[in-house]
């Protein structure tokens, strides 16, 4: 019976790992709750495991110093999230907190369930197969999907834009948003099921390097026939081609570093220090010479690489300044984007949601103790694997674990379809059965070709460490350690490396009392996640989806009702509040224009309440205050009432305080003061706007860019660039 339960649990584990990759939760960020269905499934699987395996039998537990350091990281991250409920935006704090708890649960389950070397090899083969499938999907996007999407857009741009932005049939998209949409549409980079090509590159790079190590080990041990070996090489070559198509420089660098490590360790064999040093030194010099030659040959790539590095240096400088002000607990999980604008450098280009470095991301969002726990985790894992690199599990003849994981991996594709259907408004995934089929065919083929290696092959303990190092290198310049689609691979590799180096007799025997306490803790976590995140987010997003349907049917009353339902179902979320505020504002403007229903006594009171709740849920957001400044300026142009203009000034001032180096925000503030007749404040803000504009090296962000506008609906203002308007203010 115990074996039957373990087989079911192992299959469920494989299914969840597949779903975590194919629904990577980066289309909508983890801060918005896209990972919550995964989190609940991980916690439920953990509860079943504890009840059936630990509590029922009081069995052994794999737990070492690396595990304790990792769980310490998650514990402090949770503390930082709980504190951020009061000091920052509560909804993203809850969502990201639970995302990390889910990642921890997944790591623990891999440690306990994938203890055999065969299970480790089978899970690795599943992930390699997924990389082949995602690479095939990426190639299909470049060859077929993207040209078709561009053709449809060119036939009816306005309709495609409204559909992409979820707008009604009469709405229009501003020119800047349209340009950003077109830049993405005409980009040649594939992204498969991810939202960013760089995220896809991180996954492909990691498992490409691991696959090369597996091929090297299989070649050395002769566990694959020549036909199977070359067929896998062909599939993995497709992964390399798609990686090249992503144009990810961090992916390229990480892949090259991984190949160097494989060469230095003979595909994961225990290294001879002197030999490894000679090989690594030679290959490193070869890498430098090749890079210099390529950069001299391709000046465009060299320029792009320098620009990318300069951008990241700006992100890191701002992140360090944020850390200096929040050393203990950071700014809070999910709150980095709101806080970043207060530290963003005048010459920096983007308003980013993470520092593009996994160590700084943990440090900036959860504080110094979390960063130290992460470093301790990495160090303990490195030492553990290097010390035990010569040990390995004996190959097993029975293929029980391999068959179980194969079935679970196939079930994972069905689970993805169910999740994408059931949680469409939350996950916002466009995955279909056709897309799943394009991934499944090469993935299944790769797994089948590796079957003999899975069942009787060897898995060098250094290979998971090399894959882990490759992904860490990628994350050090791209970020995303909170994204389950990438972080899941990171912690999976660590768990596999620990399991492959587990010495016999070093597991802990768990008492029934400890098992009962662990079961109770997980049960409480499930209920807490359900109450604080899962239920409100899922229900609120479903109500928003219904509001979108009614908006597309031109039914304003039902649209407003569903938006109110969404806001009430998740009182901590900002997205429903934003939608409701602008819906009420539009209703007020329409009624004001036709002069009916005394709008000040009804809609404005309701609007003010929603604005207050919106602001309380995002105390550090400059974007929200900027949008409110735009809204109240529009109110002023409609009503002509000075209180509306004063409100616009107040919100612009609050936005500037949270984003002091934005020249455009200072320009908005200057213009609002100018309209109010506040000559000195207007001139001061205009001067500041022009000074900051001179420090900005990016032409598309300069105030003389015709795509940038002051949010004043007057035609003469709308048709004038912000730079000209600031000159007009100073001349007044």
């Amino acid at each position: 019976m115990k074996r039957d339960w373990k087989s079911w649990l192992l299959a469920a584990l494989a299914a969840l790992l597949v779903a975590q990759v194919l629904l990577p939760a980066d289309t909508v960020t983890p801060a918005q709750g896209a990972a919550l269905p995964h989190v609940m499934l991980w916690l439920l699987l953990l509860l079943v495991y504890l009840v059936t395996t630990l509590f029922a039998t009081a069995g052994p537990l794999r737990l070492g110093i690396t595990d304790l350091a990792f769980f310490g990281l998650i514990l402090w991250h949770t503390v930082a999230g709980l504190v951020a409920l009061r000091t920052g935006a509560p909804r993203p704090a809850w969502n990201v907190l639970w995302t990390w708890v889910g990642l921890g649960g997944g790591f623990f389950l891999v440690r306990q369930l994938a203890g055999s070397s065969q299970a480790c090899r089978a899970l690795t083969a599943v992930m390699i197969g997924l990389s082949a499938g995602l690479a095939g999907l990426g190639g299909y996007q470049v060859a077929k999907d993207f040209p078709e999407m561009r053709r449809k857009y060119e036939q009816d741009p306005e309709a495609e834009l409204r559909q992409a932005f979820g707008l009604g049939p009469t709405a229009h998209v501003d020119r800047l948003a349209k340009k950003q949409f077109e830049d993405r549409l005409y980009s040649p980079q594939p992204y498969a099921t991810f939202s960013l090509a760089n995220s896809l590159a991180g996954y492909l790079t990691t498992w490409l390097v691991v696959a090369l190590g597996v091929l090297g080990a299989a070649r050395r041990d002769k566990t694959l026939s020549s036909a199977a070996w070359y067929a896998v090489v062909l599939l993995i070559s497709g992964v390399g081609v798609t990686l090249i198509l992503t144009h990810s420089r961090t992916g390229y660098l990480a892949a090259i570093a991984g190949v160097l490590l494989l060469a230095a360790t003979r595909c994961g064999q225990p290294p001879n220090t002197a030999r490894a040093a000679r090989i690594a030194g030679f290959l490193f010099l070869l890498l430098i010479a090749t890079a210099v030659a390529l950069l001299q040959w391709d000046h465009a790539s060299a320029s792009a690489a320098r620009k990318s590095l300069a951008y990241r240096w700006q992100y890191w400088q701002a992140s360090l300044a944020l850390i200096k002000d929040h050393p203990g607990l950071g700014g809070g999980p999910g709150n980095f984007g709101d806080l970043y604008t207060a530290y963003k450098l005048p010459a920096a280009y983007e308003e980013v949601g993470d520092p593009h470095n996994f160590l700084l991301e943990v440090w900036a969002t959860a504080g110094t103790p979390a960063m130290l726990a992460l470093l301790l985790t990495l160090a303990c894992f490195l030492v553990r694997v290097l010390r035990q690199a010569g040990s390995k599990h004996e190959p097993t003849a029975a293929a029980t674990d391999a068959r179980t994981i194969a079935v679970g991996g196939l079930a994972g594709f069905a689970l993805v379809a169910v999740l994408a259907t059931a949680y469409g408004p939350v996950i916002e995934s466009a995955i279909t059965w056709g897309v799943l089929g394009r991934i499944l065919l090469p993935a299944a083929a790769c797994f089948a070709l590796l079957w003999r290696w899975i069942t009787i092959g060897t898995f060098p303990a250094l290979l998971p460490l090399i894959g882990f190092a490759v992904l860490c290198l990628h994350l050090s310049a791209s970020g995303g350690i909170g994204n389950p689609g990438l972080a899941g691979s990171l912690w999976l590799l660590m768990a596999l490396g620990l399991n492959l180096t587990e010495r016999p007799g070093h597991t802990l025997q768990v008492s029934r009392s400890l098992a009962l306490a662990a079961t109770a803790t997980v049960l409480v976590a499930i209920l807490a996640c359900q109450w604080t995140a899962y239920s409100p987010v899922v229900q609120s997003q479903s109500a928003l989806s219904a509001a979108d349907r009614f908006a597309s049917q031109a039914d304003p009353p039902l649209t407003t009702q569903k938006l109110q339902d969404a806001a009430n179902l998740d009182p901590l979320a900002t997205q429903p509040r934003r939608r409701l505020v602008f819906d009420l504002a539009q209703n007020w403007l329409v009624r004001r224009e036709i002069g009916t229903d005394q709008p000040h006594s009804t809609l404005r009171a309701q609007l003010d309440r929603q604005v207050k709740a919106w602001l309380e849920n995002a105390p550090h957001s400059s974007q929200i205050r900027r949008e409110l400044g735009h809204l109240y300026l529009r109110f002023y142009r409609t009503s002509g009432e000075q209180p509306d203009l004063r409100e616009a000034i107040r919100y612009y001032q609050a936005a500037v305080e949270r984003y002091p180096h934005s020249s455009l925000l200072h320009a908005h503030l200057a213009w609002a003061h100018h309209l109010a007749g506040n000559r000195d404040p207007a001139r001061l803000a205009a001067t500041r706007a022009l000074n900051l504009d001179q420090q900005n090296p990016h032409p598309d962000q300069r105030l003389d860019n015709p795509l940038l506008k002051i949010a004043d609906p007057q035609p003469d203002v709308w048709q004038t660039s912000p730079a000209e308007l600031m000159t007009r203010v100073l001349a007044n």
Side-chain angles (χ1 to χ4, degrees):
M1 186 67 178
K2 177 181 175 183
R3 178 67 214 179
D4 291 341
W5 273 112
K6 183 182 177 184
S7 296
W8 281 104
L9 292 170
L10 190 57
L13 171 69
L16 281 179
L17 288 172
V18 169
Q20 191 168 250
V21 173
L22 298 184
L23 295 174
D26 72 338
T27 303
V28 181
T29 65
Q32 293 175 271
L36 291 175
H38 296 307
V39 173
M40 286 298 290
L41 289 174
W42 281 122
L43 291 177
L44 288 170
L45 183 59
L46 181 57
L47 179 66
V48 173
Y49 167 77
L50 290 171
V51 171
T52 59
T53 304
L54 286 181
F55 182 55
T57 62
L61 181 70
R62 295 183 183 87
L63 187 68
I65 186 65
T66 307
D67 306 81
L68 293 175
F70 179 57
F71 294 139
L73 164 62
I74 293 178
L75 178 61
W76 192 263
H77 187 275
T78 302
V79 171
L82 294 174
V83 172
L85 298 177
R86 298 183 62 86
T87 61
R91 171 49 60 217
W94 272 126
N95 292 348
V96 176
L97 180 159
W98 287 116
T99 298
W100 276 74
V101 170
L103 289 169
F107 167 81
F108 179 83
L109 286 167
V110 175
R111 282 283 281 139
Q112 308 312 316
L113 294 172
S116 71
S117 60
Q118 186 182 104
C120 292
R121 293 193 298 272
L123 288 177
T124 300
V126 167
M127 305 307 278
I128 292 172
L130 284 179
S131 71
L134 290 171
L137 177 61
Y140 186 87
Q141 287 176 331
V142 172
K144 177 73 174 176
D145 283 349
F146 292 170
E148 178 65 19
M149 291 166 61
R150 292 164 191 148
R151 185 187 62 79
K152 289 177 62 179
Y153 176 75
E154 289 162 2
Q155 287 178 348
D156 192 348
E158 290 300 322
E160 293 297 315
L161 285 169
R162 286 194 294 269
Q163 181 179 355
F165 287 95
L167 301 176
T170 61
H172 294 282
V173 178
D174 65 72
R175 287 190 292 175
L176 185 58
K178 179 180 179 180
K179 181 180 182 301
Q180 292 170 343
F181 176 83
E182 289 178 344
D183 287 344
R184 178 174 174 83
L185 178 65
Y186 288 97
S187 170
Q189 300 164 302
Y191 44 81
T193 59
F194 293 85
S195 66
L196 297 173
N198 213 25
S199 298
L200 173 63
Y203 184 84
L204 296 183
T205 299
T206 303
W207 294 104
L208 170 63
V209 170
V210 174
L212 292 175
V214 167
L215 286 170
R219 188 73 166 180
R220 181 175 54 247
D221 299 336
K222 295 181 170 49
T223 51
L224 291 180
S225 67
S226 295
W229 192 88
Y230 283 111
V232 175
V233 168
L234 183 62
L235 285 170
I236 296 306
S237 298
V239 176
V241 170
T242 303
L243 174 60
I244 293 172
L245 292 175
T246 64
H247 297 177
S248 171
R249 285 171 289 274
T250 55
Y252 299 164
L253 179 62
I256 292 171
V259 171
L260 291 178
L261 288 172
L262 289 176
T265 61
R266 295 175 297 164
C267 293
Q269 291 298 296
N272 176 292
T273 305
R275 181 179 181 275
R278 288 195 300 270
I279 294 175
F282 171 75
L283 293 175
F284 179 75
L285 292 175
L286 181 62
L287 169 65
I288 295 297
T290 303
V292 170
L294 288 174
L295 291 178
Q296 289 294 326
W297 175 68
D298 188 350
H299 294 288
S301 296
S303 176
R306 287 194 296 268
K307 184 184 295 185
S308 178
L309 183 59
Y311 286 173
R312 279 156 175 74
W313 176 239
Q314 292 165 348
Y315 307 154
W316 299 340
Q317 286 179 280
S319 300
L320 290 171
L322 189 159
I323 290 165
K324 183 179 178 181
D325 288 347
H326 303 83
L329 294 165
N335 279 260
F336 179 87
D338 284 351
L339 288 166
Y340 172 78
T341 55
Y343 302 91
K344 179 174 174 284
L345 302 180
Y349 184 68
E350 295 177 295
E351 300 161 21
V352 294
D354 67 79
H356 287 61
N357 177 278
F358 74 100
L359 184 61
L360 288 177
E361 183 175 348
V362 170
W363 199 356
T365 57
T368 304
M371 181 272 293
L372 294 175
L374 176 58
L375 288 178
L376 180 61
T377 301
L378 302 182
C380 290
F381 178 47
L382 176 66
V383 171
R384 161 75 172 266
V385 174
L386 290 180
R387 281 182 175 177
Q388 303 295 326
S391 65
K392 58 185 178 183
H393 292 267
E394 289 298 320
T396 52
T400 305
D401 285 348
R403 284 194 295 267
T404 298
I405 289 172
V407 171
L410 289 173
F413 282 81
L415 177 61
V416 168
V418 171
L419 291 175
T421 302
Y423 299 102
V426 180
I427 300 173
E428 288 192 8
S429 172
I431 202 163
T432 63
W433 281 108
V435 171
L436 288 175
R438 295 184 196 112
I439 299 172
L440 177 59
L441 288 177
C446 190
F447 189 90
L449 289 167
L450 288 172
W451 181 256
R452 194 163 183 270
W453 173 78
I454 295 169
T455 54
I456 65 170
T458 58
F459 194 4
L462 281 178
L463 273 186
L465 177 61
I466 291 172
F468 184 89
V470 166
L471 186 49
C472 282
L473 180 58
H474 179 82
L475 294 176
S476 68
S478 67
I481 194 171
N483 171 13
L486 287 180
S489 288
L490 187 73
W491 306 124
L492 169 63
L493 286 164
M494 187 169 79
L496 295 178
L498 293 173
N499 285 352
L500 288 170
T501 55
E502 194 78 55
R503 289 182 291 175
H506 279 69
T507 55
L508 299 177
Q509 195 68 24
V510 178
S511 64
R512 290 188 179 273
S513 59
L514 182 58
L516 178 61
T519 303
T521 300
V522 173
L523 182 59
V524 169
I526 291 172
L527 295 175
C529 183
Q530 168 77 19
W531 178 56
T532 62
Y534 177 81
S535 181
V537 168
V538 170
Q539 293 181 32
S540 178
Q541 290 296 325
S542 296
L544 283 179
S545 181
D548 289 336
R549 289 197 303 272
F550 289 124
S552 66
Q553 298 166 8
D555 192 336
L558 283 177
T559 300
T560 302
Q561 181 58 53
K562 285 300 178 181
L563 291 175
Q564 290 175 335
D565 292 344
N568 293 333
L569 287 166
D570 190 358
L572 301 181
T574 59
Q575 185 185 13
R577 298 285 179 189
R578 180 188 184 279
R579 295 276 303 275
L580 182 56
V581 163
F582 281 96
D583 181 80
L584 294 172
Q586 184 62 33
N587 290 341
W588 182 87
L589 288 166
V590 170
R591 295 186 183 190
R592 180 77 187 196
E593 289 173 357
I594 63 178
T596 62
D597 198 32
Q598 296 182 340
H600 278 291
S601 63
T602 54
L603 282 175
R604 282 301 289 268
Q606 187 180 3
L607 177 65
D608 290 341
R609 289 194 300 271
Q610 296 300 331
V611 166
K612 181 180 178 182
W614 189 18
L615 291 171
E616 288 175 350
N617 288 338
H620 304 299
S621 173
S622 66
Q623 178 181 344
I624 289 176
R625 286 153 182 84
R626 177 183 61 198
E627 291 187 63
L628 287 172
H630 296 345
L631 181 62
Y632 278 87
L633 183 58
R634 187 180 176 191
F635 284 169
Y636 166 71
R637 284 303 193 184
T638 301
S639 68
E641 296 176 1
Q642 287 297 314
D644 288 334
L645 184 55
R646 286 196 292 270
E647 283 294 280
I649 292 173
R650 184 167 72 90
Y651 287 124
Y652 282 139
Q653 183 62 50
V656 164
E657 290 169 359
R658 290 162 176 78
Y659 195 169
H661 291 151
S662 170
S663 59
L664 187 58
L665 269 181
H666 282 279
H668 286 304
L669 178 61
W671 187 249
H673 276 303
H674 173 72
L675 294 177
N678 303 328
R679 184 172 181 273
D680 289 341
R683 290 173 61 85
L684 181 63
T687 300
R688 179 64 173 157
L690 293 174
N691 287 340
L692 287 170
D693 192 49
Q694 292 299 315
Q695 300 177 54
N696 193 328
H698 311 292
D700 59 329
Q701 294 184 344
R702 297 293 295 270
L703 295 180
D704 57 2
N705 180 0
L707 292 179
L708 298 182
K709 300 295 180 183
I710 295 296
D712 188 333
Q714 293 296 99
D716 62 322
V717 176
W718 189 252
Q719 296 171 8
T720 307
S721 72
E724 293 179 45
L725 292 175
M726 293 305 97
T727 303
R728 188 185 304 178
V729 169
L730 291 175
N732 183 27

